[in-house]
Amino acid sequence: MDRIVVEGGVPLEGRIEISGAKNACLALMPAALLSEEPLTLTNAPLLSDIRTMTALLQSLGVEVSGLQGGHVLAMSGASVDNHTADYDIVRKMRASILVLGPMLARYGHATVSLPGGCAIGARPVDLHLRALEAMGAELDLREGYVHARAPGGRLKGADFTFPLVSVGATENALLAATLAEGTTILRNAAREPEIADLARCLRAMGARIEGEGTSEITIEGRDSLHGATYPVIADRIELGTYMLAPAITGGRVELVGGSRELVAAFADKLEAAGVDIEESADGLVVSRRNGPLKAVDVRTEPFPGFPTDLQAQMMALLCVAEGKSKLEEMIFENRFMHAPELIRMGASIDVHGGTATVTGVERLKGAPVMATDLRASVSLVLAGLAAEGETQVKRVYHLDRGYERLEEKLRACGARIRREPDDG
């Protein structure tokens, strides 16, 4: 197991290229199950979660080839011969449940293991199942698996309202509805850019979809879809994370491929805290204004609100902002596990339920800390960049699920950061 060692106190200067979006790519890959013709994704990120989804699709019989160093994924669902997604793979990643909708839609039956638990809350899949049931699926949950079948071999269009906004459930229902008989209307649908990206990809494959990016999506089912080549959008969470790097350290960094519309609510909060954000020909330029950072209050919300996946990183910034900030986590329970580790570095944080109150300190101090999940781990790296002395972040395998070449990208901007084996 590796650890990341950061020697803080260096303002960052340079350019960082934003990778393709992990969460978008994980939803796009199962679309290969919807067609006999190849689906090719460009701008795919090199991440462990992408490798896990690749292994899952291959276990079902999808041919997957990584081209151009893995940044292009060529997939063919022509030879799918297994309709059971096994627990040994599904347990590694919750997005694995996204193979259920497309398999059920194309083949009329599927068996998928229930995903394992999650460190940041239960994140149940019941909304996925309720949407599929509305399309006529018969579901039997036994021995940890969802056994699903479509009577007559085909799902039916439905008018379904999600009782809660769910990105994953919207994606699963959207994938399934493309081959359902008739028209499906998804109400109270998630509006995230990754949903719109999936809809655009499915449309490139011949699907008839309207309304993506709004809370009501209409899908007219087709008998079949064809192949396509499609570029994965830029990762808005990686973008937001690297926007925080010059904000917390000082300096000026250009985020190549970034766009403000992907992170508008987050960018507004950064500017309120005293950070300059400018659009450039290649992306966004982020720099710290003269003077100290200012406290701001943050409340996580579904898109287009402040993303829960940037809450931990924003907390690291507010630890060194002047004044008292309040962070309210409205999406996932148990998502302040990074707070005790930041406190080890000298932060002043008081957590009560879903609210954390952060009182800014003049400077954080380097310390050994433990990563608890993907976004918490990178928040500790950001804190280390601003801290006095050396910070050791342990259990960084979490990072490799969501950040491609993190140390390399930060080093190119002057950060003193390295990865080394952790024998402790």
Side-chain angles (χ1 to χ4, degrees):
M1 197 175 294
D2 290 347
R3 65 184 174 190
I4 286 180
V5 180
V6 186
E7 296 177 41
V10 180
L12 300 189
E13 301 280 347
R15 286 161 57 96
I16 294 176
E17 290 196 11
I18 303 303
S19 301
K22 179 197 81 156
N23 290 339
C25 195
L26 289 175
L28 294 170
M29 292 173 70
L33 291 162
L34 292 169
S35 175
E36 290 192 357
E37 298 181 13
L39 172 63
T40 300
L41 301 178
T42 61
N43 197 37
L46 297 176
L47 301 168
S48 60
D49 275 7
I50 302 302
R51 292 193 292 273
T52 299
M53 182 61 82
T54 296
L56 175 58
L57 292 174
Q58 289 174 328
S59 76
L60 301 173
V62 177
E63 296 179 11
V64 184
S65 300
L67 310 173
Q68 296 184 18
H71 289 289
V72 174
L73 295 174
M75 300 171 289
S76 172
S79 302
V80 171
D81 56 3
N82 174 31
H83 305 110
T84 299
D86 193 73
Y87 169 75
D88 285 341
I89 300 178
V90 174
R91 68 180 174 83
K92 298 177 183 177
M93 184 181 64
R94 299 196 61 81
S96 300
I97 194 70
L98 293 179
V99 303
L100 176 59
M103 274 205 297
L104 186 57
R106 183 173 166 199
Y107 299 103
H109 62 96
T111 302
V112 177
S113 170
L114 290 167
C118 180
I120 58 172
R123 303 171 81 173
V125 299
D126 61 305
L127 296 180
H128 299 243
L129 306 184
R130 289 165 68 175
L132 294 173
E133 280 184 317
M135 286 185 251
E138 295 180 351
L139 306 177
D140 181 16
L141 276 64
R142 64 179 190 271
E143 299 175 348
Y145 281 80
V146 179
H147 299 261
R149 60 181 293 273
R154 191 172 183 189
L155 295 172
K156 309 292 185 183
D159 190 326
F160 179 75
T161 300
F162 291 99
L164 299 170
V165 176
S166 167
V167 174
T170 301
E171 290 167 340
N172 226 337
L174 179 56
L175 286 160
T178 60
L179 294 181
E181 183 180 337
T183 299
T184 298
I185 301 175
L186 301 176
R187 304 183 193 272
N188 199 28
R191 300 162 58 188
E192 272 71 2
E194 293 80 11
I195 301 289
D197 201 46
L198 175 59
R200 288 191 293 267
C201 176
L202 292 170
R203 194 179 292 122
M205 297 173 68
R208 293 177 178 169
I209 302 170
E210 295 179 355
E212 73 275 7
T214 75
S215 59
E216 183 175 309
I217 305 174
T218 302
I219 309 102
E220 184 182 335
R222 305 297 304 272
D223 291 335
S224 63
L225 299 183
H226 53 70
T229 297
Y230 187 80
V232 181
I233 59 167
D235 193 317
R236 63 193 173 99
I237 306 304
E238 185 187 69
L239 170 62
T241 300
Y242 287 127
M243 289 170 73
L244 283 164
I248 199 169
T249 64
R252 182 179 185 275
V253 173
E254 183 173 21
L255 291 316
V256 179
S259 111
R260 184 170 183 129
E261 68 177 349
L262 288 174
V263 289
F266 169 75
D268 290 346
K269 290 295 183 182
L270 270 193
E271 288 177 330
V275 179
D276 281 330
I277 303 170
E278 304 170 16
E279 293 189 43
S280 69
D282 295 328
L284 295 177
V285 176
V286 179
S287 58
R288 170 96 74 82
R289 294 179 201 154
N290 293 329
L293 293 164
K294 299 285 193 294
V296 294
D297 291 340
V298 171
R299 177 187 174 99
T300 65
E301 296 176 318
F303 190 86
F306 191 100
T308 180
D309 280 348
L310 287 173
Q311 175 260 111
Q313 300 92 305
M314 189 70 175
M315 182 183 285
L317 179 81
L318 297 177
C319 286
V320 292
E322 199 173 68
K324 186 173 290 188
S325 306
K326 183 170 72 173
L327 293 95
E328 294 181 85
E329 176 54 61
M330 307 301 292
I331 308 298
F332 294 126
E333 72 273 25
N334 205 24
R335 205 171 196 183
F336 287 136
M337 291 187 292
H338 45 284
E341 303 303 304
L342 290 169
I343 291 170
R344 287 175 53 81
M345 300 177 68
S348 175
I349 305 169
D350 186 22
V351 176
H352 286 284
T355 301
T357 302
V358 181
T359 304
V361 298
E362 186 174 338
R363 182 173 292 276
L364 296 172
K365 307 287 186 180
V369 290
M370 189 79 72
T372 54
D373 62 66
L374 169 57
R375 307 308 174 185
S377 60
V378 81
S379 77
L380 300 175
V381 172
L382 289 170
L385 292 172
E388 184 178 279
E390 182 180 278
T391 298
Q392 297 182 16
V393 184
K394 298 173 180 287
R395 293 176 64 187
V396 295
Y397 62 85
H398 292 290
L399 270 175
D400 299 327
R401 292 183 46 232
Y403 292 93
E404 179 182 343
R405 300 184 292 111
L406 175 113
E407 309 96 277
E408 180 183 328
K409 289 183 177 184
L410 290 173
R411 264 199 310 269
C413 296
R416 294 179 294 199
I417 181 172
R418 66 184 186 276
R419 180 184 291 239
E420 60 185 33
D422 182 12
D423 301 322

